[in-house]
Amino acid sequence: MFFIKILGCGGGSIGLTYCQSILLLLLLLSALADLKTDRIPNGFVLLGTVIGISGSILSGRGLPGILASVFLAFLLMYPLYMIGALGAGDVKLFLMIGSFQAAGEFLVILVGAFVIGAGFSVIKLVTEKNVRERFRYFFSYLYDILRTGKWKIYGEDLKQDYHTYCKNKIHFAVPILFSAVCRIGGLF
């Protein structure tokens, strides 16, 4: 019974279900790993997805609903991955969140993550004092796509200079974590 209660996403002692607590813990560990190593371990994501699917099924959420949330995450995030706007780990984190959350809840977390990420980006642009440089790069990227009619990976040419590349990126696992905390905590 204890096992079913834990995986069935029953109530926890701090107002969160066990599944919400596990999701937030995995997102926290993923964000810390992203900050430290620039990577999100697949083990966190795989474990989280298995727990999310199992807990969702045991709490009465049907497999079609779970798969719909995960597929929606993939459908929305894959194009951003293909152009280099998101890393593979970020996409996998959203897939994991989809295994825990219904599609509507997932979308709220997704939008929140992008709003928070935009805020982080603005702060980074201001503190790094490279607003003009970044906008010039962005508009030249868009112009190149319009001129050639072909998508290319955003920032690919910056990867040659690793210092510049790292200086101009944010670790998106952090806004994902903050968004999940805000949504699960009832802030939005």
Side-chain angles (χ1 to χ4, degrees), residues 8-30:
C9 297
S13 61
I14 59 171
L16 299 176
T17 67
Y18 292 111
C19 278
Q20 289 171 330
S21 299
I22 292 168
L23 173 61
L24 293 177
L25 176 63
L26 289 168
L27 290 174
L28 174 64
L29 293 173
S30 297

Side-chain angles (χ1 to χ4, degrees), residues 28-102:
L28 174 64
L29 293 173
S30 297
L32 291 172
D34 190 19
L35 288 168
K36 184 174 179 159
T37 66
D38 225 18
R39 297 183 47 91
I40 298 169
N42 288 333
F44 290 158
V45 178
L46 181 61
L47 175 65
T49 303
V50 168
I51 292 170
I53 290 170
S54 301
S56 293
I57 288 171
L58 290 172
S59 67
R61 190 169 157 220
L63 190 58
I66 298 166
L67 294 177
S69 293
V70 173
F71 182 70
L72 179 64
F74 177 77
L75 190 66
L76 294 174
M77 297 300 97
Y78 187 70
L80 295 174
Y81 166 73
M82 289 303 294
I83 64 167
L86 288 178
D90 303 323
V91 173
K92 290 182 267 187
L93 283 181
F94 280 120
L95 294 173
M96 181 182 75
I97 292 169
S99 73
F100 279 88
Q101 302 288 324

Side-chain angles (χ1 to χ4, degrees), residues 4-187:
I4 291 174
K5 185 174 181 181
I6 288 177
L7 283 183
C9 297
S13 61
I14 59 171
L16 299 176
T17 67
Y18 292 111
C19 278
Q20 289 171 330
S21 299
I22 292 168
L23 173 61
L24 293 177
L25 176 63
L26 289 168
L27 290 174
L28 174 64
L29 293 173
S30 297
L32 291 172
D34 190 19
L35 288 168
K36 184 174 179 159
T37 66
D38 225 18
R39 297 183 47 91
I40 298 169
N42 288 333
F44 290 158
V45 178
L46 181 61
L47 175 65
T49 303
V50 168
I51 292 170
I53 290 170
S54 301
S56 293
I57 288 171
L58 290 172
S59 67
R61 190 169 157 220
L63 190 58
I66 298 166
L67 294 177
S69 293
V70 173
F71 182 70
L72 179 64
F74 177 77
L75 190 66
L76 294 174
M77 297 300 97
Y78 187 70
L80 295 174
Y81 166 73
M82 289 303 294
I83 64 167
L86 288 178
D90 303 323
V91 173
K92 290 182 267 187
L93 283 181
F94 280 120
L95 294 173
M96 181 182 75
I97 292 169
S99 73
F100 279 88
Q101 302 288 324
E105 292 294 308
F106 163 75
L107 286 173
V108 172
I109 292 172
L110 172 76
V111 170
F114 278 96
V115 170
I116 293 167
F120 281 22
S121 295
V122 167
I123 291 168
K124 188 168 184 81
L125 285 170
V126 170
T127 58
E128 297 284 338
K129 298 178 180 153
N130 64 353
V131 175
R132 190 173 298 156
E133 172 192 337
R134 296 307 309 145
F135 274 105
R136 191 175 314 128
Y137 180 84
F138 176 71
F139 287 119
S140 94
Y141 169 80
L142 287 179
Y143 175 75
D144 196 41
I145 289 172
L146 293 172
R147 184 179 53 79
T148 64
K150 295 182 181 184
W151 286 99
K152 67 178 189 173
I153 296 177
Y154 186 82
E156 184 67 27
D157 50 339
L158 295 175
K159 288 183 181 179
Q160 296 164 355
D161 179 7
Y162 187 73
H163 176 69
T164 302
Y165 173 71
C166 289
K167 180 179 144 189
N168 290 314
K169 71 179 261 186
I170 65 167
H171 296 274
F172 201 60
V174 176
I176 294 170
L177 168 65
F178 284 10
S179 180
V181 167
C182 289
R183 180 60 185 168
I184 291 170
L187 295 175

